[in-house]
Amino acid sequence: MAEKIKLGRTDLQVSRVCFGCWQMAANEYWPVVEEDRLTRAVRRAIELGINFFDTADAYGDGFAEQLLGRMLKGIPREAFVLATKVYHHWLGEPGSPRVGDLSGDYIVWECEQSLKRLGLDHIDLYQAHTFDVMTHLEETARAFEKLKKDGKIRFYGVSNFNVEQLRAANTFGHFDTVQPRYNLLDREFESSLGPLCMTHNLGVLTYSSLQYGLLTGKFTGTETFNDVRAMSPMFKGEAFRANVEKVNRLRPIGDRLGRSITQLSIRALLEHPAVHCAIVGIKNEKQIEEAAGALGWRLSREDYYAIRQATT
Ligand SMILES: NC(=O)c1ccc[n+]([C@@H]2O[C@H](COP(=O)([O-])OP(=O)(O)OC[C@H]3O[C@@H](n4cnc5c(N)ncnc54)[C@H](OP(=O)(O)O)[C@@H]3O)[C@@H](O)[C@H]2O)c1
């Protein structure tokens, strides 16, 4: 069964690979993936002991939550830990313009909508997706506390907050987890949120752990894209080719250790002492199987630093 960990100071026992569900959004960021294929991936994850799922109301304006809810139907509630997020308030039908919103009334109302879409009676981890400059943190914290007291959520946390925003948030509430961008090609977390998370034993789940797939070693640097990668400078021109070159330097290390580039990239994140889980965006069974192969073994200090050097 997959390696598990207590998520910081929460009581949640989660697999160290978290199944990322943004890829279920079916929009301009991640075009449609067949439902059957995603369902098989979710079922395979459960079989492998991957019990942690990360989604958001914003992924397809509710679509991804609805889909995940359908896929988890029939699976015992204690067999999975569900994380979702709130912030992007869409102003009409799905696909309509969105504004940031962490106001108290909106959080409480939107949590109810997420529960309906997911078909659940509680959310294990409810995350503020991004910092809302228009709402006082005391009001935001009070809303999350109310949801906790009412049994709608078990724990709450943040994503995309900087150090000062997180510090301030925790003077008003108990934001127990952090979801930062962190991967071998983007290590800002190490000098920003990482030390603070360790100080307060916050649960850390990294996103873009594979830098949109770049850290799997499957690209040559000549591809063009019709999804979120078309919007990323890391997948353009010289920068793309240079990134591919760095990733390819991992190949001999992987060959020597009998691990794929994907597995080395995930494992390296999990060796950081502040990191509990790596969220990996999954589209099919094969991808979750490969991600699960990053669990249950360790990188030696020598290999860890060789991996860092290769990707610098
Ligand atoms: N809080 C936030 O603001 C935020 C932002 C971004 C993401 N997230 C969360 O983090 C999750 C993951 O981050 P991400 O979406 O940025 O992407 P990611 O995990 O860095 O990369 C996902 C992509 O990697 C490829 N991939 C995965 N496993 C693979 C394998 N074994 N072999 C080959 N390719 C593989 C797939 O690409 P193909 O499409 O080529 O198959 C997939 O779409 C999301 O699903 C979401 O839950 C949160």
Side-chain angles (χ1 to χ4, degrees):
M1 270 293 147
E3 184 185 340
K4 299 229 171 30
I5 196 168
K6 184 172 172 303
L7 187 57
R9 62 193 195 191
T10 74
D11 290 339
L12 304 171
Q13 279 292 331
V14 294
S15 50
R16 299 199 71 192
V17 162
C18 174
F19 190 122
C21 299
W22 186 23
Q23 282 65 12
M24 295 182 186
N27 59 15
E28 72 275 26
Y29 299 113
W30 296 108
V32 179
V33 182
E34 289 156 48
E35 185 167 338
D36 273 4
R37 186 181 285 229
L38 290 168
T39 305
R40 283 198 300 277
V42 166
R43 298 278 159 167
R44 186 70 184 124
I46 297 283
E47 277 169 19
L48 291 164
I50 305 294
N51 70 340
F52 196 16
F53 295 83
D54 177 73
T55 188
D57 60 349
Y59 298 167
D61 292 352
F63 182 78
E65 283 185 333
Q66 234 162 17
L67 207 58
L68 182 63
R70 276 209 294 279
M71 291 170 186
L72 292 172
K73 231 185 176 97
I75 296 173
R77 184 64 183 86
E78 64 282 5
F80 62 89
V81 175
L82 192 290
T84 191
K85 315 187 191 77
V86 58
Y87 168 81
H88 297 278
H89 188 165
W90 57 97
L91 300 169
E93 290 301 304
S96 59
R98 309 195 291 189
V99 294
D101 197 347
L102 289 180
S103 64
D105 287 349
Y106 178 65
I107 290 174
V108 171
W109 180 83
E110 183 60 0
C111 179
E112 211 48 62
Q113 310 315 304
S114 284
L115 286 169
K116 278 187 206 149
R117 286 188 292 261
L118 288 160
L120 299 176
D121 65 0
H122 72 272
I123 289 162
D124 298 298
L125 177 62
Y126 203 33
Q127 304 158 101
H129 205 147
T130 299
F131 186 79
D132 172 17
V133 285
M134 263 192 92
T135 307
H136 198 293
L137 282 165
E138 188 174 14
E139 176 181 338
T140 298
R142 212 179 303 123
F144 281 117
E145 281 296 323
K146 175 181 162 39
L147 291 171
K148 207 168 163 177
K149 189 166 138 283
D150 293 347
K152 305 281 182 187
I153 66 173
R154 291 184 64 199
F155 297 95
Y156 60 91
V158 302
S159 183
N160 301 309
F161 276 37
N162 67 27
V163 168
E164 280 315 313
Q165 291 162 344
L166 176 58
R167 236 196 269 275
N170 268 331
T171 65
F172 296 108
H174 300 88
F175 292 85
D176 290 327
T177 66
V178 173
Q179 188 178 135
R181 166 187 287 275
Y182 179 39
N183 63 59
L184 283 171
L185 298 171
D186 183 347
R187 304 178 192 163
E188 198 210 323
F189 165 79
E190 294 173 358
S191 55
S192 56
L193 287 160
L196 184 66
C197 292
M198 281 191 269
T199 306
H200 298 286
N201 191 22
L202 301 179
V204 174
L205 40 157
T206 64
Y207 78 72
S208 294
S209 308
L210 295 176
Q211 188 53 64
Y212 300 159
L214 193 42
L215 282 157
T216 64
K218 68 180 173 182
F219 297 122
T220 61
T222 56
E223 294 84 354
T224 53
F225 301 93
N226 65 348
D227 55 23
V228 68
R229 288 170 278 222
M231 303 165 212
S232 165
M234 287 191 124
F235 287 85
K236 286 202 174 83
E238 197 38 52
F240 186 23
R241 283 187 288 279
N243 284 324
V244 166
E245 206 178 297
K246 286 182 196 175
V247 172
N248 282 337
R249 285 188 223 137
L250 294 175
R251 213 171 294 281
I253 305 174
D255 289 346
R256 179 167 52 77
L257 297 177
R259 308 287 175 183
S260 68
I261 291 179
T262 305
Q263 289 162 347
L264 292 188
S265 301
I266 297 171
R267 191 70 228 176
L269 301 182
L270 299 179
E271 297 296 350
H272 189 291
V275 173
H276 296 86
C277 306
I279 315 176
V280 181
I282 297 296
K283 288 184 168 173
N284 57 50
E285 271 176 290
K286 194 173 158 287
Q287 291 183 351
I288 192 64
E289 281 168 3
E290 189 166 7
L295 301 181
W297 54 282
R298 298 287 310 267
L299 280 169
S300 68
R301 190 167 281 274
E302 290 77 4
D303 289 331
Y304 175 77
Y305 278 102
I307 287 168
R308 283 182 76 88
Q309 197 176 8
T311 48
T312 298

